[in-house]
Amino acid sequence: MEHLQKKTLGPAALIVLVLILLWFFVGQLQDFGMNPDKNLYQVVLLSNDQAYYGKLHAVNSKYPYLSDVYYLKPQTPQVDKNGRQIGGDKFTVIKRGIDEIHSPTDKLYISRDKIIYWENVGAQSLVAKGIATDKDWRAKQQAKSATQTQQQK
């Protein structure tokens, strides 16, 4: 009977050991920078080649999500008199929810299996500067609108 108890403790001990190692490994992943930098925006590239920029949350969940979401829209290229494009491709940073007919809220939930990769966006990148410019413009528009509303009262 004593021999039987030792066999039952073996698999239970193995399960406990595996759970401890798993817990340790997940903790180590977080220590190695697997979480987004809260001071930066992140870019998320999806399996359908769409890219979104925003603040990435719940990275380890089944449905991570972005808040304060932006995307890039190509600008119409300038052409010379012969129809050749002048300069390189240019893009405009667009706040998600502004131009879409369904006016989505400011959270974009993404199935984790559709994410090819995500990374932090450099603070001095053109995208980060474009987002900052857009935020500044929106703040000025809101202040202007609030001033006009108060003047009408």
Side-chain angles (χ1 to χ4, degrees), residues 50 58 73 87 97 104 122 140:
Q50 290 181 310
K73 181 178 179 181
K140 287 178 183 175

Side-chain angles (χ1 to χ4, degrees), residues 15 23 36 58 62-63 67 109 139 143 146:
I15 290 171
W23 174 76
K62 188 174 179 179
Y63 291 97
S67 62
Y109 290 89

